[in-house]
Every structure is written in C-alpha cells, then in structure tokens.
Amino acid sequence: MAVIDTPKHALPVVIQVVAAFTAALLVMYLGGWLVMFGFWVGSKVLVLVSLIPVFGLFYLIGTVTKEASPLTGTPGWRVLWAALMSVVGLIGVVFYSSALDSWQPHGPTWLLYGGFGLPVALVAAILVRGVLLPLGTAVVAVALIALANTGPTWQEPDTAKTRTKAAGVTPYLSPQAGYGSPTFRLEDGRAVVEYAATGPDAPLGERPRLVTHKVKPTTWKDVPVYREDPAAHVWVRRYGEVEVTAIVPKQADKEASLAFAKTARAASDDEVMALLPEPDRPVMRVVDRFTDTMRKLAEGRGQET
C-alpha cells in the first residue's frame, strides 16, 4: 500500500476524516446528550437506540467518501465501518469525557466541546487507505491516551495561589468586633465576603460586606470614594487592578462604614485557604474513571451522585 494508495484518494480521505469530525460534533450538540444520558443511567438499550441515527449518519458519510477507506468501498464493508465509527468513536468520547472530569480546570470552551469530535476523527484516520497516516494516527492516539491518563497528576498542589487563581480574584477582609467569621461566595466574577452580626449591637448593621473584582489599571489614589445609595453606605476603593466595594446597611454610622472600607485588606494565604473552597480535583485516574463508567453500563447501573 502507498501512503494513501493513489493521489486520487487524497481528497476523499480528507473529506472523510473532516466529515467524521463534523458529524461527531453535530451528534453531540443535537442528540449526543441522549447517548451520554444512557451511560449516566446505565441503560444499554437507551445507548443502543441512540446509536441508530449515528450509525446511519456514518454510513452516509462512508457512501459519499467510499474511496477513502478499504472498509467503505462496498455496502457490506461499509456497514462494518459505520459500526466501528459509531461504537469505537463513542468509546473514545466517553474516554474524553472521563479525561475532562479529571483535568482541572477544563480550559477554553472551544476545547471543551470541540474535543468531542477528536476521538471520532482519530478512528476515521486509522481506518483510511495507506500505511503512514493510519500508523501515525494510531501512535498519536496512544500518546494522547497516555497524556490524558497521567496529566491530572501534574496539576499544581492545593495552595492559596491555586485557590485564588480558581476563584479569579483575591478576597478582601476587614474583621470587625461584633461579627463572626466571614462567608465567601462568587457572583459573576466578584468575590463577596459577608460578615454576620453576633449580637444586636453590631456597629455596621446585620450583614456588611466587601465585594472585590478586577478592573483595568487606574491612576486613582488609594482613597475610598462614597457612592450614593438609598439602602446602604457604599465606599469604593481601588488597589491597582482590584476594586473593593464596602457595602454597609444605611442604619449604621457613616464614619463607621468608612472605617470598614479603609481597613479592608487582601486575605493572607492562611485566610484564603480557610475561606475559599477546595478545588474540584477528582483523584481518580482517567482510565479508572473510564473503566468504571463502562462497567456500570455493562452492569446496568447508573452513575452515583
């Protein structure tokens, strides 16, 4: 066999691989959720039924690009090719999903969703005419599987830096007498630190809070600026690329609210570790997660929540 048999097969090979990649993405967007739901609930019947239109789509692609692969030249072999594309491609997508669950963070959206077509395209490239392209693709596939399985172990350790990076912004604190430990939450990329009063005489009302988010660098001085608000005292202060807004209930003294804003400071490493949630980093290896999913499907058991 030549690299791709003869030059006339080059275009069908490219079209077949690209079509397989595109079809996989369309299936995932339009109906792939049903297949994955079958895996989730452990229903072999649902998975098989969901694969019927997928099989038909791949059979159509094989018919249009029949010169690209030895398995798409005749209707009989084309059935085998479409079955391999459907089943092996689906297994690859499940493995890719397992890798996504173990790698944190997932990365850009285009990588998250576009990658679902990669396993199918690799299967298609392995089955085309020739020697070098199928062999090279097989080597790449093995390398990607090894990388996906070992990569999660390279992730940074759980530190204040990694937690702050995951949150997107460093929380600011301003401890006050009469208030307990603060609570933390993220709202649209803003770090919200809220204090709850421990008694009726808390000087800043029931729930004063500090809202922190990143802004463009500014030449503003590090001085709190008062903003009018009918329900609260609002002081805005900038620290380089960080803007901290102190929000205190209106019934509190304005000077006390200013002091609250002035004493706001970035949380220390120990405070970050205590305040921010632990990163979502499943410890199970990718291959272990993948085999666990496949075993649950074989046993007809759904995923545990």
Side-chain angles (χ1 to χ4, degrees):
M1 279 188 185
V3 175
I4 51 175
D5 195 20
T6 62
K8 72 177 183 179
H9 296 130
L11 183 58
V13 164
V14 173
I15 294 176
Q16 189 173 86
V17 174
V18 172
F21 176 84
T22 304
L25 294 185
L26 288 175
V27 167
M28 287 304 300
Y29 289 140
L30 300 179
W33 62 270
L34 188 59
V35 181
M36 302 310 292
F37 180 73
F39 273 92
W40 181 262
V41 299
S43 172
K44 294 185 286 290
V45 175
L46 183 57
V47 171
L48 292 175
V49 170
S50 302
L51 283 178
I52 292 176
V54 178
F55 171 86
L57 180 59
F58 283 127
Y59 187 88
L60 177 62
I61 292 174
T63 302
V64 175
T65 59
K66 60 184 179 182
E67 295 180 346
S69 170
L71 297 183
T72 53
T74 62
W77 284 109
R78 205 172 299 140
V79 170
L80 175 60
W81 182 85
L84 287 173
M85 291 294 297
S86 302
V87 177
V88 180
L90 176 61
I91 291 174
V93 169
V94 173
F95 182 84
Y96 183 79
S97 299
S98 301
L100 289 181
D101 287 340
S102 295
W103 281 68
Q104 298 290 336
H106 292 331
T109 304
W110 65 265
L111 178 62
L112 174 63
Y113 293 105
F116 283 117
L118 179 61
V120 177
L122 290 174
V123 175
I126 290 174
L127 297 177
V128 300
R129 293 182 181 276
V131 175
L132 293 184
L133 181 57
L135 182 60
T137 304
V139 171
V140 170
V142 172
L144 289 175
I145 291 173
L147 175 64
N149 192 46
T150 59
T153 62
W154 308 338
Q155 296 180 115
E156 295 179 290
D158 182 16
T159 63
K161 180 179 179 180
T162 55
R163 290 196 185 187
T164 300
K165 182 179 178 181
V169 63
T170 301
Y172 272 62
L173 303 176
S174 182
Q176 301 289 320
Y179 295 86
S181 299
T183 59
F184 171 84
R185 65 182 184 274
L186 284 174
E187 293 181 354
D188 299 325
R190 299 170 183 262
V192 180
V193 173
E194 189 172 67
Y195 291 88
T198 56
D201 299 326
L204 300 175
E206 290 187 0
R207 293 189 176 277
R209 61 189 185 275
L210 295 169
V211 181
T212 309
H213 72 286
K214 289 186 177 181
V215 294
K216 294 182 179 180
T218 178
T219 57
W220 284 16
K221 294 182 179 180
D222 181 16
V223 176
V225 177
Y226 190 75
R227 290 183 180 174
E228 295 295 335
D229 186 280
H233 297 296
V234 179
W235 294 93
V236 180
R237 192 177 186 184
R238 293 201 175 187
Y239 303 80
E241 296 183 356
V242 176
E243 182 176 278
V244 181
T245 303
I247 303 174
V248 177
K250 201 72 169 184
Q251 64 267 27
D253 181 73
K254 184 176 180 179
E255 291 302 318
S257 68
L258 175 58
F260 178 64
K262 284 184 174 180
T263 55
R265 57 168 177 78
S268 66
D269 286 352
D270 289 342
E271 289 168 332
V272 167
M273 294 296 287
L275 196 61
L276 298 183
E278 293 184 13
D280 180 17
R281 290 179 178 174
V283 297
M284 186 182 294
R285 294 190 313 158
V286 176
V287 168
D288 294 336
R289 186 176 295 277
F290 167 75
T291 54
D292 183 61
T293 300
M294 299 301 293
R295 184 179 67 253
K296 288 176 179 177
L297 178 68
E299 296 173 354
R301 296 189 295 116
Q303 298 289 325
E304 297 177 358
T305 58

